[in-house]
Amino acid sequence: MPPAVASGGPARSGDPAPVGDPAPSGPAPRPAGPYARLFAHPGALGCTLGGLLARLPMGMFTVSAVWMIADAYGSYALAGSVTATGLAATALAGPLVARAVDRHGQSRAALPATLLALLGSLALVVCVHTRAPVWTLFAAYAATATTPNTGGMARARWAHLLRRDPAARHTANSFEQAADELCFMLGPVLATFLCTALFPEAGTLAGCGLLLTGTLLFLGRRSTEPPPARVRNRAGSAPLRQPGIPALLLVFAATGAVFGALEVVTLAYADGQGHRAAGGAVLACQAAGSAVAGLAFGTLPPARSHRRRLAGCTAAMAALAVLPLLAALTAPLPVVAGALLVAGLATAPTMVTGMALIQRLTPAGRLNEGMTLAVTALLGGIAAGSAAGGRAAESLGSAGWAYGIPLLAAAAATALATLPAVSARRTRVTAHTGGT
């Protein structure tokens, strides 16, 4: 905020200060707190609100599709197959959409991609309502894969706005991770309420309205948008060719397996304990813990070594993953919910640090593509973790042993994150000692 300028011409030396005038001061004080300073940037608040609205449907569409299809066709297996097809299509289309966003700019590329995805969602509603042939459900839901990665675009905007302020970028990444957790925590709850209280298609229709409104608000803040790579003429090579990124994507995949396994195992465990309706609320505890940790993590200084911090965060995630297993084997469901709340405290720091590494390793002109690759790896891990968790829940019963699957996935993430960190440290030591 610019300092106030007094009117009436310059004062002469020795003149008394006019009564009521403010005392002379230097530059206006910066807003207190890292998050207040973050949103003091022009356009940042409006852009963030639009991004939140656009991201909320991401936690709604899958649940809404399951409700619609299961109600109309009487098959949860069909509903699961349709949504799995959409996940696979997203893994293929996501990086291509992100590459177009980087090359042509967010405003030009993201809106057409969003409109195509909305047409897919509306087509799914029509197909379900008219009981169309099953193959049309797969085709319609696959078209929704062009939905842009709003979280990635938001992080790219922060990286552009705060390119000279690493501490503020760390705070922004932490906030975006907390926002992701909040949207994926509230989205399924809202979708379930709409589909059950109104009609099965209500969740999808509401999600379409939120996505369109949020995207228009987000893209309308042009002052925060980074220039397209073709204008800067320095897109750089593909992110997958950058040293360190393939190994980092494996960490994201293993972390996604933790999320996918926790979701299925928790729902199955709650059902086995006779509290099926409480499964969603119990699972939301993990997201709530992650959201709180993300906001607190943003107040910390940036890491000196992101690789070492990622190794530490994944180790904490693995250590805390023991708690749900112990609680499920020895305590009632409310204690399991508390254990998931605590276990979630390591999730956001892991994701924030991993995304920060992606930003450091990806060429500036292909930042959206790099972060979308991370999300694609995460989604692939979620799918694998869901499958493994489901098989474990069926084969091991309702005693709680299936919580060993997310524990093993977290241990794998720790191993994958630790090896590059140790290698990088040895390289620095060798360089420092001259190879001796």
Side-chain angles (χ1 to χ4, degrees):
M1 188 181 299
V5 179
S7 60
R12 294 186 300 271
S13 176
D15 287 348
V19 177
D21 279 5
S25 61
R30 300 175 68 190
Y35 290 104
R37 292 196 295 272
L38 203 64
F39 294 109
H41 290 268
L45 183 59
C47 179
T48 298
L49 292 176
L52 288 174
L53 286 178
R55 265 184 282 187
L56 183 59
M58 299 303 101
M60 298 175 60
F61 282 135
T62 300
V63 174
S64 299
V66 169
W67 277 107
M68 279 196 304
I69 296 170
D71 180 77
Y73 293 84
S75 172
Y76 281 99
L78 174 61
S81 298
V82 170
T83 55
T85 300
L87 181 65
T90 300
L92 294 174
L96 299 178
V97 173
R99 187 178 303 172
V101 169
D102 282 328
R103 182 172 301 173
H104 302 290
Q106 295 183 5
S107 298
R108 291 187 61 187
L111 185 57
T114 300
L115 293 177
L116 180 58
L118 288 173
L119 288 176
S121 293
L122 294 176
L124 180 65
V125 171
V126 173
C127 290
V128 170
H129 188 72
T130 59
R131 306 297 194 274
V134 168
W135 68 267
T136 62
L137 307 182
F138 289 90
Y141 202 70
T144 66
T146 62
T147 305
N149 178 12
T150 306
M153 291 193 297
R155 289 174 173 88
R157 291 192 176 210
W158 287 122
H160 170 65
L161 286 174
L162 309 171
R163 53 192 178 277
R164 296 183 180 88
D165 192 342
R169 285 201 307 273
H170 168 71
T171 301
N173 286 332
S174 299
F175 172 81
E176 292 300 330
Q177 186 59 41
D180 284 343
E181 299 290 350
L182 181 65
C183 290
F184 279 100
M185 181 174 62
L186 296 180
V189 176
L190 178 59
T192 300
F193 171 76
L194 292 173
C195 292
T196 55
L198 299 179
F199 50 91
E201 298 86 358
T204 299
L205 293 175
C208 289
L210 289 170
L211 177 59
L212 180 60
T213 303
T215 299
L216 291 175
L217 290 174
F218 179 83
L219 297 178
R221 300 293 178 175
R222 300 292 295 272
S223 62
T224 63
E225 181 180 347
R230 63 181 178 85
V231 172
R232 289 180 293 187
N233 197 29
R234 54 184 181 90
S237 60
L240 275 176
R241 296 180 180 178
Q242 299 298 318
I245 284 190
L248 186 56
L249 294 181
L250 292 177
V251 178
F252 274 99
T255 303
V258 176
F259 301 158
L262 271 179
E263 181 175 355
V264 174
V265 169
T266 298
L267 294 177
Y269 177 77
D271 191 13
Q273 297 298 312
H275 301 285
R276 183 179 186 182
V282 173
L283 188 61
C285 291
Q286 191 268 346
S290 181
V292 171
L295 292 176
F297 193 67
T299 64
L300 299 178
R304 292 184 177 180
S305 169
H306 286 88
R307 293 185 186 276
R308 293 179 62 185
R309 177 172 281 187
L310 181 62
C313 289
T314 53
M317 184 171 64
L320 294 179
V322 176
L323 298 179
L325 174 61
L326 295 178
L329 293 175
T330 60
L333 190 61
V335 178
V336 175
L340 287 170
L341 179 70
V342 177
L345 295 176
T347 300
T350 299
M351 291 296 298
V352 170
T353 308
M355 282 296 183
L357 257 176
I358 287 286
Q359 292 182 20
R360 288 174 63 90
L361 298 176
T362 303
R366 306 188 78 153
L367 193 54
N368 278 297
E369 184 180 352
M371 288 188 288
T372 301
L373 283 173
V375 173
T376 299
L378 194 72
L379 291 175
I382 289 174
S386 297
R391 287 182 176 273
E394 288 186 0
S395 61
L396 298 177
S398 60
W401 285 107
Y403 275 108
I405 299 299
L407 173 58
L408 291 175
T414 302
L416 291 167
T418 301
L419 290 176
V422 171
S423 177
R425 185 177 182 182
R426 286 178 177 173
T427 300
R428 288 195 302 270
V429 170
T430 300
H432 180 71
T433 59
T436 59

